[in-house]
Amino acid sequence: MPDTKTWTAALLIIGDEILSGRTQDKNVAQIATWLNVQGIRLAEVRIVPDVEEKIVAAVNALRAANDYLFTTGGIGPTHDDITVDAIAAALGVGVVVHPQARATLERYYETRGGLTEARLRMARVPDGAELIVNKVSGAPGIRHGNIFILAGVPHITAGMLDALTGTLEGGRPVVSVTIGGMVPESEVADLLRETERAHEGIAIGSYPFFREGRVGANFVVRSEEMAQAQAVADLLQASMESAGYLVVPGGI
Amino acid sequence: MPDTKTWTAALLIIGDEILSGRTQDKNVAQIATWLNVQGIRLAEVRIVPDVEEKIVAAVNALRAANDYLFTTGGIGPTHDDITVDAIAAALGVGVVVHPQARATLERYYETRGGLTEARLRMARVPDGAELIVNKVSGAPGIRHGNIFILAGVPHITAGMLDALTGTLEGGRPVVSVTIGGMVPESEVADLLRETERAHEGIAIGSYPFFREGRVGANFVVRSEEMAQAQAVADLLQASMESAGYLVVPGGI
């Protein structure tokens, strides 16, 4: 296997509504899955409230430690939408109205009551930024260097990710093969540990569950090589079957 | 209003399965909601992989900045369950087998194949810890000072939270009143900003949505005083109604 760089991204979720428990986050899973297809691994997530100093500290920690930083939330028109100002502060740049964003919003709101002062807030970007197309609603996402500032509403986030697909440099995607069955993970823990140790470049995850009073688990073999992941999964399945367990490819 | 301390907690989610997008997290919302009932605010969340140095760094940052730190995940019997070792390393203490945890596991596995070496891993705790009852499965949660080490499988997490209910010192819970309607938030942004500014101790969140091609929003007024939250929500609703919007108590 060639020695390749592992590209990483961090995700910063900005919003009191997630921390209060009011809103169930869906962007971690959505962005993680999308990143993996780009050959980029989600290395860390932080969720912070709508407080500038908290956002600034997280932005600076995460962008320094990763190839990319994605943020979601706080880019709407209301007083609690402070993401752009906070990221500009973190970068030490000013906030400017982006002419193309202004033009997009003018068109979008032409038949929707016009571009008010509040709506114009959504054209503000950290100085030096470019835009990320938003096909779903008016306000665009923002890219500034390795920082990608996305909407928090999941289907708008999805549209912005779609616009970014294939534009980021990445490495090889991690692929995975899952097997599973009514296997108590504590009975195969040694097998899992030794199998992982014996195969460089793979990671084995064990995810237990309880169904109808019985305990089982799915086992996920991850690798950058599909053939390797499949071979190790086959090996695990054969070992579990010879120990008397019924194991299903794909997991249960 | 008496001057009261605001109690905060951080949550550290440990697990490759969340960062890979394989598993949709449910513990942020569940723990946030539970904490609020205890009078404690969830101030920050981090999600890190099953890598000791990442866990250690996050544990030390988060426990220093908050009254409480909760962790979920990584306390099972398999090789990728390294939470106890990582937290012990963060605290600078050793790892010991807790006699009561061992006795609990012995009883639990008496009719399930006995207490193997792998299963005994679930009795290991950072030295000085006490146990958190787990009514759902065998392995207990762990408390060490202001750190609460919980399971990652949401219904087991829930059982451990249940065992902790009412045992933590907290302040006054934040209560909220929600109103909502087919109101574009960009048309009421000034009203929201000015209303929040005019009422100390309240925070107003604005959460837009799109339904059947139309834009609307829910507005959440948060306060430690239910009467104040209700009064401000009533004020907002009256202002929106006099501007011609249909607004529904409770939100839509």
Side-chain angles (χ1 to χ4, degrees):
Chain A
M1 190 164 30
D3 187 30
T4 51
K5 169 179 159 72
T6 298
W7 295 76
T8 69
L11 170 61
L12 178 62
I13 296 176
I14 298 161
D16 292 349
E17 71 277 20
I18 306 290
L19 289 173
S20 72
R22 180 186 179 276
T23 301
Q24 166 66 53
D25 167 72
K26 292 180 181 154
N27 279 326
V28 173
Q30 165 170 267
I31 291 176
T33 306
W34 179 86
L35 281 170
N36 194 43
V37 176
Q38 318 304 310
I40 300 163
R41 308 220 191 140
L42 182 57
E44 183 175 354
V45 178
R46 296 193 191 180
I47 310 176
V48 296
D50 302 319
V51 174
E52 180 162 315
E53 68 193 65
K54 304 282 186 189
I55 301 171
V56 168
V59 164
N60 281 332
L62 294 174
R63 73 189 176 104
N66 292 281
D67 297 304
Y68 303 106
L69 169 61
F70 287 74
T71 74
T72 61
I75 63 168
T78 58
H79 64 285
D80 55 344
D81 291 308
I82 62 169
T83 296
V84 166
D85 300 82
I87 291 178
L91 296 173
V93 302
V95 173
V96 298
V97 170
H98 193 292
Q100 191 187 329
R102 187 191 176 113
T104 301
L105 290 168
E106 269 167 358
R107 268 198 311 282
Y108 184 82
Y109 285 112
E110 202 168 13
T111 57
R112 295 176 174 90
L115 188 55
T116 60
E117 193 65 30
R119 287 165 170 170
L120 189 57
R121 274 178 63 82
M122 295 187 284
R124 298 164 74 250
V125 303
D127 199 0
E130 51 197 286
L131 304 181
I132 300 168
V133 172
N134 171 1
K135 291 176 205 159
V136 182
S137 56
I142 301 162
R143 174 181 185 160
H144 195 295
N146 70 339
I147 306 179
F148 297 79
I149 305 169
L150 308 183
V153 179
H155 77 279
I156 305 181
T157 322
M160 293 178 177
L161 291 174
D162 191 49
L164 288 172
T165 295
T167 67
L168 272 62
E169 188 169 4
R172 306 179 66 183
V174 175
V175 292
S176 67
V177 177
T178 300
I179 61 172
M182 302 313 291
V183 185
E185 60 171 0
S186 58
E187 295 182 4
V188 294
D190 292 344
L191 171 67
L192 298 174
R193 179 186 297 106
E194 283 154 22
T195 305
E196 183 177 274
R197 205 172 278 165
H199 296 86
E200 213 188 310
I202 68 141
I204 303 176
S206 173
Y207 306 113
F209 55 77
F210 297 81
R211 284 182 203 159
E212 297 164 13
R214 293 176 64 209
V215 63
N218 285 307
F219 308 101
V220 178
V221 182
R222 297 189 184 89
S223 167
E224 291 184 359
E225 306 269 4
M226 181 46 108
Q228 189 194 28
Q230 188 64 61
V232 172
D234 290 347
L235 207 69
L236 276 183
Q237 181 168 353
S239 298
M240 289 179 189
E241 284 173 349
S242 72
Y245 299 108
L246 182 66
V247 177
V248 183
I252 64 173
Chain B
M1 191 164 31
D3 187 31
T4 51
K5 168 179 162 70
T6 298
W7 294 77
T8 69
L11 170 61
L12 177 62
I13 296 176
I14 299 161
D16 291 349
E17 70 277 20
I18 306 291
L19 290 173
S20 72
R22 179 185 179 277
T23 301
Q24 165 68 54
D25 167 72
K26 292 181 180 152
N27 279 325
V28 173
Q30 164 169 268
I31 291 175
T33 306
W34 179 86
L35 280 170
N36 193 43
V37 176
Q38 318 305 311
I40 300 163
R41 305 218 194 142
L42 182 57
E44 182 175 355
V45 177
R46 296 192 191 181
I47 310 177
V48 297
D50 302 319
V51 174
E52 180 162 313
E53 67 193 65
K54 304 284 185 186
I55 302 171
V56 168
V59 163
N60 281 331
L62 294 174
R63 75 189 175 106
N66 294 279
D67 296 304
Y68 302 106
L69 168 61
F70 287 73
T71 74
T72 61
I75 63 167
T78 59
H79 64 285
D80 53 345
D81 292 307
I82 62 168
T83 296
V84 165
D85 299 84
I87 292 178
L91 295 173
V93 302
V95 173
V96 298
V97 170
H98 193 292
Q100 191 187 331
R102 186 190 177 115
T104 301
L105 290 168
E106 268 168 359
R107 268 197 311 279
Y108 183 81
Y109 284 113
E110 202 168 11
T111 57
R112 294 176 174 89
L115 186 56
T116 60
E117 193 64 32
R119 288 167 170 169
L120 189 58
R121 275 178 62 81
M122 297 187 284
R124 298 164 73 248
V125 302
D127 200 0
E130 51 197 285
L131 304 182
I132 301 168
V133 172
N134 171 1
K135 290 177 207 160
V136 181
S137 55
I142 300 161
R143 173 180 188 163
H144 195 295
N146 70 338
I147 305 179
F148 297 78
I149 306 169
L150 308 183
V153 178
H155 78 279
I156 304 182
T157 322
M160 292 177 177
L161 291 174
D162 191 50
L164 288 172
T165 296
T167 67
L168 273 63
E169 188 168 4
R172 305 179 67 182
V174 175
V175 293
S176 68
V177 176
T178 301
I179 61 172
M182 301 315 290
V183 186
E185 59 171 2
S186 57
E187 295 183 4
V188 294
D190 291 345
L191 170 67
L192 298 174
R193 180 186 295 107
E194 283 154 22
T195 305
E196 183 177 274
R197 206 173 277 166
H199 296 85
E200 212 188 310
I202 68 140
I204 302 176
S206 172
Y207 306 113
F209 56 76
F210 297 82
R211 286 183 203 159
E212 296 163 14
R214 294 175 64 208
V215 65
N218 286 307
F219 308 102
V220 179
V221 182
R222 296 188 185 91
S223 167
E224 291 184 1
E225 305 270 1
M226 181 45 111
Q228 189 194 28
Q230 188 63 59
V232 172
D234 290 347
L235 206 69
L236 276 182
Q237 180 167 354
S239 300
M240 290 180 189
E241 283 172 350
S242 71
Y245 299 108
L246 181 65
V247 176
V248 183
I252 65 172

